Amino acid sequence: MQLTALLRDAQGQAVAGLPLTLVVKRPDGVEYRRVQVADQGLGGRALPLPLLSGAMHGTWRVSAHTDPKAPAIGEASFLVEDYVPERLEVSLTPKAPALRRGEPAEIAVAARYLYGAPGSGLDVSGNVVVQAAVGSGIKGLEGFSIGLDDEAVEAASAEIEQRATTDAKGEASLAVPVEAPAAPRALEARITLQVGEPGGRALSRSLTLPILPAAPVLAIRKGFSGDLPEGAPRASTS
C-alpha cells in the first residue's frame, strides 16, 4: 500500500523543504517502520509501505512528526483484515410496495450460492428502522411534501424477533412487525435482513417501504427551487 502526506501551515500554505518522519505501528503498538520522507513538491510526500501476507490483523496507525522526539503533528489509521468474497446472492422481495399502519411487512427471501446451488438451511434475522420519509414517500406524490417540515421525527429501531431458515430451495418468508407512531411527517420503514453463511459470516440486504397514512392527507409542492427568502413573493402551489 502507499501512504501519502500533505504538510501545510496554519494558513493552509505548503511547507516546503521540511523533513517529515512517518512512524507506522502495528495493532499491538509495536513500531513497524520509521521513515524520514523528503518533500516531493508543494509539501506533498508519498511512502510505499509493503505489508507481508502474514501481517497482523487489526488497526494500524501512522503518525507524522517534524521532530521525531516531539508529539505527532498528524495521525491516521488503516485496517488490515482478510478479504473473503461473498459466496451468496441474496434478494428481498416485498409482498406489497407500501405498508398500511399496523400491518406487518411480508418479505420473501431468496438465497443462492454463486455457483448455482440454492442456499438452503441458512438462518435469517434482521432489524427494522421507522424514520421520516424523503419528500412524500408515497408513489404518485413525488415532489410533494406531507406534514410539517420544521418538526423532526426521531428514527426508531427494533430487532426482528421472528427468525427464519431457508428451505431446500433457498427461500424463506418473514412477517416483519412495523410500529409506526403518529408523526407530523410521512414515514418509511427500512428493513435490513441478514442471511448467515455456513462459515459464520452474514450477508445484509435492505429495502425501504413507505408507510401509507391512516387517513387522507394534505400535500404541498413548491413552485420554486431552493429556499424562499423572508419577504419574497409567495410561490404558487399545486
Side-chain angles (χ1 to χ4, degrees), residues 9 30 36 41 49 55-56 62 105 117 126 129 134 167 182 184 194 198 203 213 218 220 224:
D9 61 18
V30 174
Q36 187 178 86
L49 182 68
M56 181 178 291
V62 185
V129 178
V134 177
D167 59 18
Q194 292 90 31
L203 272 68
L218 183 65
I220 188 170
F224 57 92

Side-chain angles (χ1 to χ4, degrees), residues 36-110:
Q36 187 178 86
V37 186
D39 178 23
Q40 298 170 5
L42 298 177
R45 296 155 174 81
L47 173 66
L49 182 68
L51 293 177
L52 301 177
S53 58
M56 181 178 291
H57 292 183
T59 301
W60 290 57
R61 304 189 183 281
V62 185
S63 57
H65 304 258
T66 53
D67 180 354
K69 297 181 180 180
I73 61 171
E75 294 182 329
S77 63
F78 60 90
L79 186 65
V80 175
E81 59 183 1
D82 288 330
Y83 170 71
V84 180
E86 294 184 355
R87 295 185 296 166
L88 283 175
E89 178 183 357
V90 177
S91 62
L92 309 181
T93 305
K95 181 178 180 181
L99 301 175
R100 296 190 179 277
R101 290 178 180 270
E103 71 176 11
E106 300 282 348
I107 308 297
V109 182

